[in-house]
Amino acid sequence: MPYVGRFAPSPTGPLHAGSMVAALASWLDTRAQGGRWLLRIEDVDTPRCVPGADRLILEQLARCGLAPDEPPLWQSQRGALYQHALDQLVDAGLAYPCACSRKDIEQATAARGIARVRGAELPYPGTCRPENGGLRGRPARAWRLRTDVIEQNRPLVQERRAPAAPHSVAILGSVVHWTDRRLGPQQQDVAETVGDFVLKRADGLWAYQLAVVVDDAAQGVTHVVRGEDLADNTPRQILLQRALGLPTPSYLHTPLVLAADGEKLSKQNGAEALPLDAPLQALTAAAARLGLPVPMAGATVPEVLMAWTSAWSVARPTR
C-alpha cells in the first residue's frame, strides 16, 4: 500500500517549537518511504481559531522546506462528510443523543464513587443511553459513540475501504490494543477510561475524534506521526474506525517539547512562534528533539532535510 502521511495543525496560533517537532517527523517519515505528505488544517473548533493563523502556518512550513504534495485541506469545509458518518453510526445503533451537561456528568460519576483525577476527563457513565431511558424529555445537547458494542475485529458499519495497514491492532470488548512505532505496545479500556465519547458537541461543532477519523480515511492516510500528547486519543479513534468500517493507520507519537514549568510547550503557556527568518534554526532544534544529527556548518535547508531523511529511514523503519 502506498505510504500517505499528513500534518494536521490547529490554527489557534502560529507553529512553535513543539509543533515543529511533529511537522518535521511527519515529513521525514513520509519522505523516507517515498510517500505523499498531506497538510490538513484542523479548524473545526472555530472559537479557538485565530484569524490568519492558517496562512501563517503555511508560510512557516514553506520557509522550512516542508511543502505538501497536494493543496491543503480545511476541516471547516467538510461538515457534510462528518454528518454522513454520524448518520451511519446512528442508523447502526452505535451513536445516540445526549442531554447531559458537565455538571450532570460530575454528579453522576460522584454518585458512583468516582473522583475526578486532576487533568483527566471524567468517563461518561452512559446516562442517556437508550436502555437507560434516553433523553427523558430533555433536549439533546451532543451525540456520543457507544463504546460497549464494538465487536472484536469486525466493523459494524460496512463500507468498501482499503484494508488496514499490517500492524498489530486488536479490540477485546472495549479494550483497544495497538502498537505505537515509538512507544511500543499500548492498551486502553475506552469504556472504563473515557466512556461514550462525543462525536458532535453541544455547541453544534464537530468533535475532533470524528473529524480526524473521517478525514484520515478520506485522504487515504496510512501513517500518522504526531505529538505524544495525542497518544491518548488513539484508542478512541481506533474504535471509531472499526465502527465505521475504516482502515486503521500506523501510529508514531513523537516526544514533546516541554516548557519551563515541565508542562507540554503550547500557545497557552507562552510558546513563541517560530521565526520566519531563521528556518534552519527552527529545524535544527526540532531535529535535536528527534535524536537526529547536528547539521554541518554552512549546510542549506534542502541539504539538512536530505541528510535527516536518510538518518530517519534507518532510525524509524515503518514496520
Side-chain angles (χ1 to χ4, degrees):
M1 182 186 301
Y3 182 115
V4 180
R6 50 81 161 172
F7 178 55
S10 297
T12 55
L15 296 180
H16 53 73
S19 46
M20 178 50 70
V21 171
L24 178 60
S26 175
W27 189 91
L28 290 174
D29 205 55
T30 304
R31 291 293 177 257
Q33 299 302 318
R36 289 187 298 120
W37 192 62
L38 309 180
L39 182 61
R40 184 167 72 228
I41 303 297
E42 297 197 332
D43 59 343
V44 287
D45 194 353
T46 51
R48 295 181 62 239
C49 294
V50 175
D54 53 350
R55 298 299 173 182
L56 180 54
I57 289 171
L58 296 180
E59 185 176 358
Q60 289 175 304
L61 291 171
R63 291 288 184 94
C64 291
L66 308 182
D69 295 311
E70 296 179 7
L73 178 153
W74 275 258
Q75 283 188 331
S76 57
Q77 302 171 4
R78 300 171 63 78
L81 287 176
Y82 310 146
Q83 185 63 58
H84 176 65
L86 177 59
D87 290 343
Q88 287 183 300
L89 294 168
V90 172
D91 291 345
L94 298 179
Y96 61 90
C98 175
C100 295
S101 64
R102 289 186 180 179
K103 184 177 180 180
D104 294 331
I105 297 171
E106 289 177 356
Q107 291 175 340
T109 52
R112 298 170 61 198
I114 300 175
R116 175 183 286 277
V117 177
R118 184 177 179 273
E121 63 180 296
L122 287 170
Y124 182 68
T127 306
C128 291
R129 283 182 180 175
E131 67 268 27
N132 293 334
L135 297 175
R136 300 178 184 272
R138 298 176 296 168
R141 293 172 50 85
W143 287 84
R144 295 181 179 272
L145 179 78
R146 293 193 67 128
T147 56
D148 63 331
V149 293
I150 310 299
E151 295 182 14
Q152 180 179 355
N153 296 323
R154 186 173 70 85
L156 299 185
V157 174
Q158 298 290 341
E159 288 199 335
R160 293 182 180 178
R161 297 286 181 175
H167 56 275
S168 178
V169 173
I171 300 174
L172 306 175
S174 62
V175 180
V176 178
H177 301 259
W178 79 101
T179 300
D180 184 274
R181 288 169 52 205
R182 170 176 166 263
L183 302 175
Q186 306 287 311
Q187 72 174 60
Q188 184 186 90
D189 187 331
V190 180
E192 183 70 22
T193 305
V194 181
D196 297 348
F197 56 89
V198 171
L199 303 173
K200 191 172 187 179
R201 298 173 8 177
D203 57 9
L205 298 178
W206 294 104
Y208 164 75
Q209 309 296 352
L210 181 65
V212 72
V213 163
V214 169
D215 285 336
D216 279 346
Q219 293 186 281
V221 172
T222 60
H223 292 73
V224 172
V225 178
R226 58 188 180 187
E228 189 174 335
D229 56 313
L230 294 172
D232 185 66
N233 290 274
T234 304
R236 276 171 278 182
Q237 291 166 15
I238 291 174
L239 276 186
L240 256 178
Q241 291 155 0
R242 186 60 51 82
L244 287 165
L246 303 177
T248 294
S250 168
Y251 290 96
L252 187 157
H253 290 88
T254 60
L256 301 179
V257 176
L258 303 181
D261 60 1
E263 297 294 324
K264 170 204 167 188
L265 186 67
S266 68
K267 304 175 187 76
Q268 287 71 35
N269 62 10
E272 296 183 1
L274 294 174
L276 290 174
D277 59 348
L280 188 55
Q281 176 184 331
L283 286 166
T284 300
R289 191 71 185 94
L290 294 168
L292 296 169
V294 176
M296 296 179 60
T300 64
V301 167
E303 288 171 343
V304 299
L305 288 176
M306 182 179 298
W308 288 334
T309 299
S310 297
W312 184 274
S313 65
V314 174
R316 294 290 177 193
T318 56
R319 300 288 180 253

